[in-house]
Amino acid sequence: MNTASFALARALPPIVGFALFIAAAIAVEGLLRLGVINRFIVPLPSEVAASFGRLFAEEHLLARFLTTCRECLYAMALLTILGIGAGAVLHRMPLLRRACETPIAALASAPIVLMYPLFLVVFGRSATTIVVMGLIAGLPPVILKTIEGLSGTRRVLINVGRSFNLTPRQMFVKVMFPAAVPTIFVGLRLGLIFALINIVGVEFLINFGGLGQLINDLAERYDLAGMYAAISFVVLVSVLFFVITERIERWFSQAA
Amino acid sequence: MHSRPTAGLQGEHILAVEGLTKRFLTRDGALLAVERVSFGVKPGEFLSVIGPSGCGKSTLFNVIGGLTGGYEGSVTVAGETVNGPHPAIGMIFQEESTFPWRTVLENVCFPLELVNMPKAQRHEKARHFISLVGLDGFEQRYPAELSGGMRQRVAMARTLVSEPRILLMDEPFAALDEQTRLLLGDKVLQIQQQLKQTTLLITHNITEAVQLSDRILVMTYRPGRVKRIVDIKLPRPRTSEIVGSAEFGLAVAAVWNDLREEASRGMRESENAARAERKT
C-alpha cells in the first residue's frame, strides 16, 4: 500500500461517517417537511444548523461547552486516580474485594442523579456538586474493570515475571498493569459516559454550569432548534473525551 | 536464595535434581505427581525429559524453575539450592508468553531494563539476540503482527538475552505445526551450538527430543519416575535433515519402545477415570 492509498484508507471511515450523518439529517428534514414527523416535537435540522451562530453569539455556547468540558476533565482525572487506585487496592485484598464487589456493582445501576438535593446541601449550588456527582456515578465501572483487568492477567505472563525475579512493585508496573490496560480503559470509557450523563443532568436540574443549564434555559423558552443544537454539543463533549481516552490508552500501552 | 553444599549428582553437573518428590492436594486426596526423580545435566549438555501426558513433566519444569515449592528432595544449580526462581535459569514457556504491549525489541530488552542497563547498550544486545533467533527486521513489530513460531522465537530471545547458564524449556513448540517445529528445532540447535547453552527441554514429542538432545530422560506415567535415560549418539552439528537418517529412526524407535508402555498405561487410566466420573 503506497502513502496516498494509506492516507485515503485512514480518511475514508470519518468521511463516510460524516456523509451518513448528512444523509440522515436530509432524510429527517424531508420527513418533517412532508409532515410525517411532528415539527412541534422535532425541529428542522436546517433550523438547528442555523441556530449555532445565535447560540455562540447570544448564549455563550463556547463558554458553556468549555465549562462542561472542564467539569468532565476534573471528573475524569478523579475517576482515573480514585477508580484505578481503589480497584488495585481491592485486587490486592481478596476479602475486602469479595465484601465490596456486589455493593459497587449495585451502585452502578442506582439512580444517583436523584440524590442531588443531598449533594446540594453538602457542596452547595456549585461545580463541586456537579463534579462529585459525576465522579460517584462513574466510579463503579472503573473500579470493577480495574479488578477484572488485574485478575485477568494471564498466568504465563506472571510466571515470566516471576522467572525474572520481579519485585511485587515491578510485577504490578511492568506486567499486571500493562496487561490490564485495555480492560481498565473499557471501564474508564464506561465511567466517563456515566459521569457525563450525570454532569449534564445535574447541570440541568440545579440550573448551574455549562451545557445542561443552557439546555434547561432553551427548553423553558421552547427554543427547540437551540436546544437540539446544545444537545449536539453534549455529544461533541462525549466524542472529545472518547478520543482523548483512546489516545491515552495507546500512549500508556506503548510506554509500559 | 540459600546455598548449601550437597553431594551426589553435583560435581560435574551444573543442574542436579535429587530425590525429587512432589504431591498435590486434590479433592480426591493427595496426588503423587513425581516420585524420587534424580538426574543431572552437564554444562553445555542438551537433555530432554519425555513422558506421556500426566507424568509430571510440567511439575518438574515448575519445580526446577522455582515456580513451585513444597517438594521433597533437592534441586541445585552449581551447588546452590533452588528455593525460588534462580537467576542462572532462564525459562521458556509452552504458552504464548510475549508481552503484547511491547514491540519485539522492547520484549527482548525487558530483562535488561530490570538490571538498569543503559538504553543504547541494551538495544545493541537485544538486536544481537533478535538476530540470533532470525528475526532481523522485525524489531519494531508487535507480537500480534507475528506468527506463533516467530512469537516463540521472541520469547526465546528474551530469555537468552539475560544469558542464563541453564535454559529450561517447557514444550515451547507444542502449539506449532510440524514443519515449523522442525525448522525451529534447527534454530535451537544452531543457538545451542553457538552459545554452548546448557538446556533442559520438557517435551512429549519424540522426534523433537531425538533431533535436539544429547540424552533423553524417559519418565513413567503417574507418578512420574525416571524409567530410563537414553543416550543419543547422533553426530553434531545437526540439522533437521537428520530426521531422514536410519540412525535417527533407530533412536526414535528406542525411545518409543520405552515410552509406549507408559503412554498406553496413561491412556488406559485416563479412560477408566473418565468412565468412573460418568458413572458418579
Side-chain angles (χ1 to χ4, degrees):
Chain A
M1 193 181 279
N2 61 31
T3 317
S5 56
F6 184 73
L8 183 68
R10 276 191 72 173
L12 208 55
I15 292 170
V16 170
F18 185 70
L20 284 173
F21 174 74
I22 297 294
I26 291 169
V28 172
E29 180 96 15
L31 291 171
L32 282 163
R33 288 189 186 277
L34 289 170
V36 179
I37 303 173
N38 191 334
R39 285 173 72 165
F40 289 106
I41 299 169
V42 181
L44 289 168
S46 55
E47 283 177 10
V48 174
S51 69
F52 280 119
R54 178 168 55 83
L55 289 181
F56 275 109
E58 296 167 16
E59 307 289 348
H60 312 291
L61 182 59
L62 184 62
R64 308 267 196 166
F65 170 73
L66 291 175
T67 302
T68 301
C69 280
R70 196 165 47 242
E71 288 161 356
C72 279
L73 193 69
Y74 291 151
M76 185 180 166
L78 289 168
L79 273 177
T80 308
I81 296 164
L82 299 177
I84 296 175
V89 168
L90 289 175
H91 172 258
R92 291 278 297 176
M93 304 167 89
L95 179 64
L96 195 63
R97 172 186 162 182
R98 283 201 296 273
C100 297
E101 225 164 7
T102 308
I104 291 171
L107 186 68
S109 56
I112 291 166
V113 73
L114 297 180
M115 291 172 72
Y116 77 94
L118 173 70
F119 287 87
L120 274 181
V121 172
V122 178
F123 299 107
R125 188 167 165 267
S126 65
T128 312
T129 297
I130 296 166
V131 171
V132 169
M133 289 202 69
L135 168 68
I136 292 175
L139 267 179
V142 182
I143 295 173
L144 295 174
K145 283 287 172 186
T146 302
I147 296 171
E148 187 188 317
L150 293 172
S151 311
T153 308
R154 286 194 296 130
R155 191 78 225 159
V156 69
L157 297 186
I158 292 175
N159 280 340
V160 169
R162 288 178 67 199
S163 76
F164 286 118
N165 264 312
L166 298 193
T167 61
R169 190 184 158 277
Q170 285 175 320
M171 184 68 92
F172 182 82
V173 174
K174 299 223 169 250
V175 179
M176 295 181 74
F177 186 72
V181 158
T183 315
I184 291 174
F185 270 83
V186 170
L188 267 179
R189 284 199 199 98
L190 279 172
L192 203 64
I193 290 166
F194 288 179
L196 179 63
I197 291 168
N198 275 265
I199 283 169
V200 177
V202 176
E203 281 180 344
F204 185 96
L205 286 170
I206 69 172
N207 206 17
F208 184 90
L211 293 169
Q213 186 191 22
L214 179 62
I215 293 166
N216 189 355
D217 287 348
L218 295 167
E220 282 182 1
R221 278 186 256 150
Y222 202 64
D223 182 353
L224 277 187
M227 194 184 82
Y228 274 77
I231 289 172
S232 69
F233 265 72
V234 175
V235 175
L236 192 64
V237 177
S238 176
V239 170
L240 188 69
F241 277 85
F242 215 78
V243 171
I244 290 172
T245 49
E246 211 170 44
R247 290 285 159 92
I248 295 173
E249 181 182 0
R250 210 174 301 159
W251 177 81
F252 248 117
S253 303
Q254 285 170 6
Chain B
M1 204 68 52
H2 307 287
S3 68
R4 64 176 175 80
T6 48
L9 272 164
Q10 289 172 44
E12 61 174 338
H13 296 109
I14 185 168
L15 173 70
V17 176
E18 291 185 85
L20 177 70
T21 299
K22 173 70 187 169
R23 289 180 181 82
F24 288 104
L25 275 178
T26 67
R27 19 172 221 181
D28 302 323
L31 174 78
L32 189 57
V34 288
E35 189 180 31
R36 295 194 303 276
V37 169
S38 298
F39 65 91
V41 187
K42 293 175 203 150
E45 186 183 25
F46 198 119
L47 177 82
S48 290
V49 175
I50 196 165
S53 299
C55 76
K57 296 189 296 287
S58 291
T59 302
L60 205 56
F61 173 83
N62 287 328
V63 168
I64 296 170
L67 301 180
T68 300
Y71 56 87
E72 295 159 33
S74 70
V75 178
T76 54
V77 173
E80 200 175 301
T81 304
V82 172
N83 285 327
H86 195 284
I89 298 177
M91 300 172 79
I92 299 176
F93 297 84
Q94 182 179 356
E95 304 96 323
E96 210 283 279
S97 68
T98 52
F99 298 128
W101 58 89
R102 285 174 168 252
T103 60
V104 168
L105 182 66
E106 289 163 349
N107 259 288
V108 180
C109 280
F110 182 75
L112 308 177
E113 281 170 29
L114 300 174
V115 293
N116 295 320
M117 185 181 277
K119 193 175 177 180
Q121 207 178 326
R122 70 173 182 250
H123 277 196
E124 190 189 334
K125 193 170 179 185
R127 282 180 200 282
H128 168 72
F129 281 91
I130 289 169
S131 170
L132 194 70
V133 297
L135 286 176
D136 310 72
F138 291 93
E139 290 86 349
Q140 299 308 324
R141 298 284 185 91
Y142 283 92
E145 300 171 290
L146 307 176
S147 68
M150 290 163 96
R151 286 201 284 260
Q152 262 321 31
R153 279 190 276 166
V154 175
M156 194 182 289
R158 184 181 59 192
T159 304
L160 289 172
V161 81
S162 60
E163 298 181 77
R165 293 175 71 186
I166 299 159
L167 186 62
L168 180 59
M169 302 197 279
D170 182 19
E171 305 191 37
F173 313 133
L176 307 176
D177 60 84
E178 191 60 28
Q179 293 100 314
T180 312
R181 191 193 287 247
L182 282 168
L183 292 173
L184 282 187
D186 276 350
K187 194 50 85 182
V188 170
L189 281 170
Q190 186 192 327
I191 292 167
Q192 205 256 344
Q193 276 149 208
Q194 209 169 322
L195 302 178
K196 306 279 177 246
Q197 180 75 58
T198 307
T199 309
L200 178 62
L201 170 71
I202 309 284
T203 183
H204 61 250
N205 187 305
I206 305 174
T207 47
E208 183 178 274
V210 173
Q211 181 195 356
L212 302 174
S213 311
D214 296 309
R215 289 188 300 151
I216 299 176
L217 185 156
V218 182
M219 287 184 79
T220 64
Y221 181 68
R222 196 175 295 155
R225 298 190 194 101
V226 178
K227 180 164 187 175
R228 198 159 81 94
I229 295 182
V230 182
D231 285 318
I232 303 297
K233 295 200 163 54
L234 298 172
R236 284 192 186 271
R238 291 178 205 161
T239 66
S240 55
E241 283 176 18
I242 205 160
V243 298
S245 71
E247 295 88 341
F248 186 88
L250 287 173
V252 168
V255 176
W256 175 235
N257 278 341
D258 280 319
L259 200 55
R260 187 173 49 198
E261 189 190 333
E262 299 304 323
S264 306
R265 191 159 69 87
M267 192 185 273
R268 258 192 327 270
E269 288 190 18
S270 301
E271 284 168 3
N272 290 342
R275 266 188 220 110
E277 204 164 296
R278 251 203 316 270
K279 275 180 194 165
T280 55

